[in-house]
Amino acid sequence: MMKETLWNNITQLREKSPLVHNITNYVVMNNTANALLAAGASPIMAHAPNEMEAMMNICQVLVVNIGTLDDYWVTSMKKAAQQANQLNKPWVLDPVGAGATPYRDEVLSDLLSLHPTIIRGNASEIMALAKHNITSTKGVDSSAESNEAIAAAHILDEKYQACICISGATDIIISRDKEIHLLNGNELMTKITGMGCSATALVAAFSVIVDDRAEAVTSAMAMLGVAGEIAAQESKGPGSLQVNILDKLYSLTEKEFMSTLKLEVKRG
Amino acid sequence: MMKETLWNNITQLREKSPLVHNITNYVVMNNTANALLAAGASPIMAHAPNEMEAMMNICQVLVVNIGTLDDYWVTSMKKAAQQANQLNKPWVLDPVGAGATPYRDEVLSDLLSLHPTIIRGNASEIMALAKHNITSTKGVDSSAESNEAIAAAHILDEKYQACICISGATDIIISRDKEIHLLNGNELMTKITGMGCSATALVAAFSVIVDDRAEAVTSAMAMLGVAGEIAAQESKGPGSLQVNILDKLYSLTEKEFMSTLKLEVKRG
Amino acid sequence: MMKETLWNNITQLREKSPLVHNITNYVVMNNTANALLAAGASPIMAHAPNEMEAMMNICQVLVVNIGTLDDYWVTSMKKAAQQANQLNKPWVLDPVGAGATPYRDEVLSDLLSLHPTIIRGNASEIMALAKHNITSTKGVDSSAESNEAIAAAHILDEKYQACICISGATDIIISRDKEIHLLNGNELMTKITGMGCSATALVAAFSVIVDDRAEAVTSAMAMLGVAGEIAAQESKGPGSLQVNILDKLYSLTEKEFMSTLKLEVKRG
């Protein structure tokens, strides 16, 4: 995967402005919509079961984010995911808080059975998703958690044929024979709520532009990681960082992207 | 309509701080409340059917915005609109996504039958609202859409006795014999979610201050358009623009307003 | 209560990062989560009755904020508050809009009977909560409202054994034999939606760190008041103030805190 390809995908996103339907959580809706707009995509946010079918006909990709789930919203999430499958449109799962409560895990089990195209979560969420299957793969050094998450990602990939993104200080993208690491971003991004949710929405947007799942996810995570890393340099705290990331998603140049991107193709 | 009159309305809004009850969508609630506060008004946000009657007694105007509608919220929207009519208080409809799904159109048909005082939408939404009535009025040049939206606005005005605002690069206000154009704003405003929703809330606030519907709508759209245009000059992207618009709504001076406003009274 | 103690509590919050479960309103969720993160705490936002028990097992403190209440959410609020009591974890009530509608007052009556550990509201809300009990304590000068709110706070403290915080230009903390006044903040903070809700969430976070209720509340209100006062000096309006407060909650230093804090221990 070439850096030039990723930049080309970013310019394609800005030109084609894919329509992303989000069934997401209350906390991040505003920022997610703004991140999509700043990056060049077009957001829809709707959740009534009565209009899920019609919305899925209009949109090009679906995001299901369970952050503030309840039974009413879960009904719509399932309906929309099923419709995505029938229409052969990609859908992306953000398993917020996986493992935190039995209810979340039950809902996630149902959603996994609907075969999300892509799953993006942090290491703990990806491990929780795979927890009933995971074998002992614990390492002995500081990368133990990361190694365990990679093992979990492979289990999910094999079982559900989904491309997996483990986001963190290093973002790791796993898909069949591919493993890509991205080392961009800034620690201060963890002090803003919903950065992961924005990442998931951008992943969805790029999956309309790029057929290869791993390349789509890498494009999204690279764009956000680079924008966040540059934005952090001129931010005094998490408040200004949130604002500056939106500005940088909008104004990111090829030169900035190429000189900042830290990409490691481990396999594939 | 004189520019001085519009500025006088803005100072009146700041002095009288009208209480605006919003039944609006999840995506924009925070920004809408902040836009109302920055402009000098007082927001309420509530949606439980159990307290709609009491809230309508307290507030001075109602906003109904269907962005993230569902059956539970629609029940409250209708109840509040009926109550507004009984109490002779104005109510403003924001038909977000009109035409996107049959469910939205069904709900909008019900809401239109409750005779909103004012309707604010973009050209596509206004055309969708009037679509079952519209006759062929397509122009042949680049203003075709705008011309068609104006025709749709006249249909809605006549059928429902509502003042219509078509917002866009040019904001067009239609009410009976009046047609007013505002040419303020900045393209970057389209990259922030919920600018239209903030406009609708400001329209509602001014409708408490000004009896003439067209003048109230023009005051609101002028305030936001001028604030946005000035704010854009010092913004690096949509993130900082969102922040700067709130600052400028709060700090806008008569000199800034008068020197920036681009108003064209076509008729009336 | 020493200023040094309050600063020490702030450093403790940053180190221990308490997990705060918020059942709060749609308008402020994003800002509340960001305020908690900026101050050093960890937010959870969830509301489905199915996972209230599990969430209460995980979290260290609960916030119940009734801003956009409805029956479904109230069910979860009560369930979570009961669970907090059983687990001997503190819970904080934010009675948004107390007195505005009969429905709100009915719900608040039920919530009060579950004995919140701490209640934070503005003067009007605190007076509304105590209104069925209040005796005539009206003063004759400009502090009449403040005096009446203090009387209301004492009634609530005695009846429900809750620490009461009346926030405003002066924040007043009442708990049994203690009365503490804080004189920080800036008028411009009233032009941002949800500052009180952020205050309530911070109060909850500090109640995990500090056993003494009045000291916990004072630490939170002092941190936010000082951050807001400093942030206002470099803000052009409510938009930039909202951003700058998050930055300052994150970056606040001992020197800034000590030199800005205006604390008056009236009793205790």
Side-chain angles (χ1 to χ4, degrees), chain B residues 26 29-30 33-34 37-38 40 45-48 50-51 54-55 58 72-73 234 243-244 246-247 250-251, chain C residues 26-28 31 67-71 100-104 188 190-193 236-240 242-243:
Chain B
Y26 299 123
M29 281 187 189
N30 187 268
N34 278 330
L37 284 167
M45 307 248 160
H47 66 282
N50 329 27
E51 62 176 359
M55 281 300 181
I58 295 170
Y72 185 82
W73 283 65
E234 54 189 44
V243 170
N244 291 335
L246 291 174
D247 281 356
Y250 178 77
S251 68
Chain C
Y26 300 124
V27 187
V28 306
N31 283 328
T68 53
L69 84 177
D70 64 33
D71 285 350
T101 71
Y103 178 53
R104 251 154 231 265
L188 193 56
T190 64
K191 296 295 180 186
I192 309 174
T193 196
K236 293 176 296 175
S240 47
Q242 187 171 29
V243 171

Side-chain angles (χ1 to χ4, degrees), chain A residues 15-239:
Chain A
E15 279 173 29
K16 294 184 179 166
S17 196
L19 196 53
V20 182
H21 179 206
N22 301 270
I23 309 182
T24 189
N25 73 71
Y26 300 124
V27 186
V28 307
M29 281 187 188
N30 187 267
N31 283 328
T32 299
N34 277 332
L36 286 169
L37 284 167
S42 296
I44 303 176
M45 308 247 159
H47 66 281
N50 329 28
E51 62 176 358
M52 275 311 97
E53 194 175 331
M55 282 299 181
M56 288 309 302
N57 282 329
I58 296 171
C59 76
Q60 294 172 278
V61 62
L62 168 70
V63 170
V64 171
N65 174 311
I66 67 158
T68 53
L69 83 177
D70 64 33
D71 285 352
Y72 185 83
W73 283 65
V74 168
T75 302
S76 288
M77 290 172 184
K78 291 179 184 173
K79 203 168 174 178
Q82 284 163 340
Q83 193 77 10
N85 291 339
Q86 279 175 30
L87 297 169
N88 208 26
K89 294 179 181 181
W91 73 279
V92 184
L93 175 64
D94 191 327
V96 180
T101 72
Y103 177 54
R104 253 156 229 264
D105 288 352
E106 190 186 301
V107 167
L108 285 171
S109 173
D110 290 353
L111 290 171
L112 283 175
S113 74
L114 295 171
H115 289 278
T117 318
I118 300 165
I119 304 170
R120 191 221 55 85
N122 60 33
S124 137
E125 289 160 348
I126 296 300
M127 288 187 287
L129 278 188
K131 72 169 180 287
H132 299 301
N133 309 293
I134 207 159
T135 51
S136 180
T137 57
K138 283 187 187 170
V140 291
D141 58 10
S142 63
S143 66
E145 189 187 71
S146 186
N147 283 340
E148 197 170 343
I150 290 174
H154 281 296
I155 288 166
L156 293 170
D157 174 23
E158 280 165 37
K159 189 163 179 188
Y160 301 106
Q161 292 83 51
C163 174
I164 311 295
C165 175
I166 309 159
S167 61
T170 299
D171 299 318
I172 301 170
I173 295 100
I174 305 271
S175 180
R176 307 269 95 177
D177 53 338
K178 292 175 183 161
E179 181 178 328
I180 297 152
H181 289 209
L182 285 165
L183 289 81
N184 288 107
N186 185 289
E187 174 71 18
L188 192 56
M189 293 169 81
T190 64
K191 296 295 180 187
I192 308 174
T193 195
M195 286 306 302
C197 306
S198 289
T200 301
L202 292 175
V203 161
F206 277 98
S207 75
V208 175
I209 304 298
V210 183
D211 285 336
D212 183 273
R213 298 312 179 199
E215 185 186 319
V217 176
T218 305
S219 303
M221 300 309 289
M223 186 183 196
L224 185 59
V226 167
E229 186 167 324
I230 296 172
Q233 290 161 12
E234 53 189 44
S235 297
K236 293 176 296 174

Side-chain angles (χ1 to χ4, degrees), chain C residues 19-21 56 59-64 80-81 83-85 87-93 115-118 203-211 213:
Chain C
L19 197 50
V20 182
H21 180 206
M56 288 308 302
C59 76
Q60 294 172 278
V61 61
L62 168 70
V63 170
V64 172
Q83 193 76 9
N85 290 339
L87 298 169
N88 208 24
K89 294 179 180 180
W91 74 278
V92 184
L93 174 64
H115 289 279
T117 319
I118 300 165
V203 161
F206 276 99
S207 74
V208 176
I209 304 298
V210 184
D211 285 336
R213 297 313 178 198

Side-chain angles (χ1 to χ4, degrees), chain C residues 105-155:
Chain C
D105 287 350
E106 190 186 302
V107 168
L108 285 170
S109 173
D110 290 353
L111 290 171
L112 282 175
S113 74
L114 295 171
H115 289 279
T117 319
I118 300 165
I119 304 169
R120 191 219 57 84
N122 60 33
S124 138
E125 288 160 349
I126 296 300
M127 287 187 287
L129 278 188
K131 72 169 180 287
H132 299 302
N133 309 293
I134 206 158
T135 51
S136 181
T137 57
K138 283 187 183 168
V140 292
D141 58 11
S142 63
S143 66
E145 189 187 71
S146 186
N147 283 339
E148 195 171 343
I150 289 173
H154 281 295
I155 288 167

Side-chain angles (χ1 to χ4, degrees), chain C residues 7-27:
Chain C
W7 175 254
N8 183 53
N9 293 341
I10 290 170
T11 62
Q12 287 292 301
L13 187 84
R14 289 171 172 171
E15 278 173 30
K16 294 185 179 166
S17 196
L19 197 50
V20 182
H21 180 206
N22 301 271
I23 309 181
T24 188
N25 73 72
Y26 300 124
V27 187

